[in-house]
């Protein structure tokens, strides 16, 4: 291998070639339109929300907690694969340019994820903290620098064999990050910010660099981190299209097993039981369903426009239906399922039935929330709209596929 930088560029190009294909499918789906509509609603109510906000609302602490978490989280994308555990360790002494490119690439990507929430919260910043746009931009630049320090330091932490050491160092970075972010959002003097910057640079130069010199790269950990990051992207893409390379993740969720007892034992309910158990335990179907129901309830409790309640109700039920649609392909690669002495037509029927039950449940929750937040009449209309959509989507859209 003559040039490790070329290897890194090829790995990055391969990843984005794959990612762009899935991003196009996501872009062509109706999901982005739904997000766009919600964004318009959010913009409309943002101003009212700022006016409604109590004077004693701890705005500065919201910024501190949020951005302390954002600068601490994050992984260095190394694009390391399982096969590299054999081929790359002998080249470790020559891999410095490869890892440097990985850190700089991750820094650029993570800066975007810092800028996005800061942009969204900019009206709140101008309303409660300062009306200076240049000050907000300066804070973004300093947060980006803090993020680079975290990524570089976090990468060196991954060289420790013991997980306890990795966690203790992460905890140390949280404390340091919180101190720096507090100084930024409470507008401390420049000399104090320079002092914190000198401390961070000194800590990296005299501590984390020494870890680099005394500990070898833990290639298996880098491969696990990279695999976890790619699987996260696959799980998102799998909500819109089939992703064959997605690995199944199983969560026991024993506390939900009693729910499955309502399904009567019988041959005709074979696929219904399997889909229901997959919904509860596999991937993140259950988590997405809960999150969408919670966010829908939150939006509906804030919105005051009558027609806005109807539109947002339809949008959230639609988004939930889109997510549940992917459950149909859950057993696609498992040929053992086809050997069951059950008609395959019952497979589609079971999927439609489960989606129908879940959408009806969500409709009832949304109707109750609107009844409490606004009026029983509004709640009844929302429930009716959601039930109509819950009935039509599985019967029409899912049957066609």
């Amino acid at each position: 291998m003559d040039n490790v930088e070329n290897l890194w560029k090829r790995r990055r190009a391969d990843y984005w070639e794959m990612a762009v294909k899935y991003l196009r499918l996501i872009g062509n789906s109706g999901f982005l339109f739904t997000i766009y509509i919600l964004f318009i609603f959010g913009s409309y109510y943002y101003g009212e929300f700022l006016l409604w906000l109590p004077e004693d609302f701890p705005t500065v602490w919201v910024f501190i907690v949020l951005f302390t978490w954002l600068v601490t989280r994050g992984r260095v994308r190394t694009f390391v694969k399982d096969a590299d555990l054999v081929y790359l360790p002998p080249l470790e002494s020559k891999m410095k340019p490869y890892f440097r490119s990985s850190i700089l690439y991750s820094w650029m990507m993570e800066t975007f994820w810092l800028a996005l929430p800061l942009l969204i919260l900019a009206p709140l910043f101008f309303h409660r903290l300062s009306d200076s746009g240049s000050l907000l931009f300066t804070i973004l630049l300093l947060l980006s620098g803090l993020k680079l320090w975290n990524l570089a330091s976090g990468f060196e932490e991954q060289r420790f064999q013991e997980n306890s050491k990795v966690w203790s160092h992460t905890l140390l970075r949280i404390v340091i990050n919180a101190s720096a972010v507090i100084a930024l959002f409470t507008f401390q003097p420049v000399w104090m910010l320079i002092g914190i910057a000198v401390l961070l640079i000194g800590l990296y130069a005299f501590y984390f660099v020494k870890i680099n010199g005394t500990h070898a790269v833990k290639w298996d950990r880098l491969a696990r981190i990279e695999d976890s990051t790619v699987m996260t992207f696959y799980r998102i893409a799998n909500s819109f299209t089939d992703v064959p390379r997605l690995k199944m993740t199983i969560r026991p969720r024993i506390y939900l097993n009693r729910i499955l007892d309502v399904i009567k034992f019988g041959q005709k309910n074979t696929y219904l039981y399997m889909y229901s158990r997959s919904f509860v335990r596999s991937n993140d179907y259950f988590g997405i369903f809960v999150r969408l129901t919670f966010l829908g309830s939150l939006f509906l409790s804030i919105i005051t426009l009558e027609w806005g309640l109807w539109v947002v109700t339809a949008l959230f039920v639609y988004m939930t239906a889109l997510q549940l649609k992917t459950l149909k392909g859950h057993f696609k690669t498992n040929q053992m399922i086809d050997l069951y002495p059950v008609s395959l037509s019952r497979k589609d029927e079971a999927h439609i039935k489960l989606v129908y039950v879940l959408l009806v449940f969500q409709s009832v929750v949304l109707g109750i929330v609107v009844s409490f937040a606004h009026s029983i009449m509004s709640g009844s209309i929302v429930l009716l709209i959601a039930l109509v959509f819950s009935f039509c989507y599985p019967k029409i859209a899912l049957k066609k596929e």
Side-chain angles (χ1 to χ4, degrees):
M1 193 176 302
D2 54 347
N3 193 328
V4 292
E5 284 187 275
N6 288 338
L7 173 67
W8 189 88
K9 289 177 182 176
R10 194 162 63 246
R11 291 278 176 86
R12 182 192 60 184
D14 290 344
Y15 171 77
W16 277 105
E17 185 180 353
M18 174 276 298
V20 166
K21 289 179 183 175
Y22 287 118
L23 289 174
R24 281 178 182 163
L25 291 171
I26 295 173
N28 292 332
S29 70
F31 184 74
L32 288 186
F33 177 73
T34 307
I35 296 294
Y36 178 69
I37 296 294
L38 289 176
F39 179 76
I40 293 175
F41 268 94
S43 303
Y44 176 82
Y45 282 98
Y46 203 161
E48 291 191 8
F49 171 74
L50 293 179
L51 294 175
W52 167 85
L53 213 57
E55 286 297 326
D56 56 351
F57 181 77
T59 305
V60 67
W61 284 104
V62 170
F63 279 89
I64 289 170
V65 172
L66 175 63
F67 285 96
T68 297
W69 174 68
L70 285 173
V71 295
T72 305
R73 63 167 288 281
R75 305 157 172 168
V76 173
R77 292 297 309 274
T78 57
F79 302 108
V80 168
K81 301 179 179 178
D82 289 340
D84 294 338
L85 305 185
V86 176
Y87 298 107
L88 290 186
L91 298 172
E92 187 173 328
S93 60
K94 300 177 182 177
M95 294 294 288
K96 192 171 286 186
Y98 186 101
F99 294 139
R100 186 169 55 241
S101 297
S102 298
I103 292 173
L104 291 177
Y105 167 83
S106 304
W107 176 44
M108 286 188 290
M109 299 301 292
E110 289 291 336
T111 296
F112 169 78
W113 293 115
L114 273 176
L116 184 62
L118 194 59
L119 182 66
I120 294 172
L121 292 174
L124 180 61
F125 180 88
F126 293 139
H127 185 68
R128 288 298 177 90
L129 299 183
S130 170
D131 58 357
S132 173
S134 58
L135 179 60
L136 184 68
F137 183 69
T138 303
I139 289 176
L140 174 61
L141 290 180
L142 293 174
L143 285 173
S144 177
L146 185 60
K147 186 73 193 183
L148 176 61
W149 179 83
N150 273 272
L151 288 170
S153 303
F155 181 77
E156 303 303 342
E157 291 168 12
Q158 301 303 325
R159 295 173 182 271
F160 289 122
Q161 185 67 44
E162 304 87 351
N163 289 330
S164 59
K165 280 191 175 181
V166 176
W167 281 110
S168 63
H169 281 72
T170 303
L171 187 62
L172 172 68
R173 283 194 292 114
I174 291 174
V175 174
I176 294 173
N177 290 333
S179 305
V181 173
I182 288 173
L184 286 176
F185 284 103
T186 54
F187 312 133
Q188 296 301 313
V190 175
W191 64 265
M192 184 177 290
L193 299 179
I194 294 175
I196 293 174
V198 171
L199 174 68
L200 294 177
I201 294 171
L203 191 60
Y204 182 78
F206 295 104
Y207 181 71
F208 287 103
V209 170
K210 284 188 177 179
I211 298 174
N212 184 317
T214 55
H215 293 71
V217 172
K218 299 297 179 286
W219 293 94
D220 56 338
R221 178 174 284 152
L222 295 185
R224 283 202 307 273
I225 292 173
E226 180 64 24
D227 186 63
S228 172
T229 306
V230 173
M231 286 304 128
T232 300
F233 176 76
Y234 281 163
R235 273 195 287 276
I236 295 172
N238 193 55
S239 300
F240 303 91
T241 185
D242 291 338
V243 181
R245 285 179 282 187
L246 177 66
K247 297 176 184 175
M248 297 297 175
T249 53
I250 304 297
R251 294 180 173 83
R253 294 198 175 109
I254 298 172
Y255 56 94
L256 292 175
N257 283 345
R258 299 296 296 270
I259 296 176
L260 301 178
D261 292 343
V262 300
I263 302 174
K264 293 182 179 178
F265 181 78
Q267 197 174 31
K268 67 177 182 179
N269 289 330
T270 301
Y271 289 121
L272 180 62
Y273 181 81
M274 292 174 63
Y275 276 127
S276 301
R277 183 161 282 275
S278 300
F279 168 75
V280 169
R281 298 184 59 186
S282 301
N283 289 344
D284 201 20
Y285 301 118
F286 178 76
I288 290 172
F289 178 77
V290 171
R291 285 194 287 273
L292 284 174
T293 305
F294 173 76
L295 286 175
S297 303
L298 187 64
F299 268 85
L300 290 174
S301 61
I302 295 172
I303 291 174
T304 54
L305 289 173
E306 193 68 23
W307 61 270
L309 293 174
W310 308 341
V311 173
V312 171
T313 298
L315 287 175
F316 270 96
V317 177
Y318 173 65
M319 282 195 294
T320 307
L322 275 181
Q323 303 300 316
L324 295 176
K325 186 178 71 173
T326 59
L327 191 61
K328 184 178 181 180
H330 188 78
F331 302 108
K332 197 172 183 179
T333 57
N334 192 338
Q335 296 178 343
M336 292 295 292
I337 305 296
D338 297 337
L339 299 178
Y340 290 170
V342 184
S343 169
L344 287 178
S345 62
R346 289 196 177 278
K347 199 172 177 180
D348 293 339
E349 291 173 8
H351 175 244
I352 291 173
K353 188 174 182 179
L354 179 61
V355 172
Y356 175 71
V357 169
L358 292 171
L359 292 182
V360 168
F361 175 79
Q362 186 185 55
S363 302
V364 172
V365 172
L366 296 181
I368 292 174
V369 169
V370 173
S371 297
F372 276 102
H374 301 288
S375 67
I376 294 178
M377 178 60 73
S378 298
S380 302
I381 296 174
V382 163
L383 176 61
L384 180 63
I385 293 172
L387 285 177
V388 169
F389 194 91
S390 302
F391 179 78
C392 292
Y393 184 84
K395 293 289 183 184
I396 299 174
L398 292 182
K399 268 194 173 180
K400 284 183 178 178
E401 297 180 1

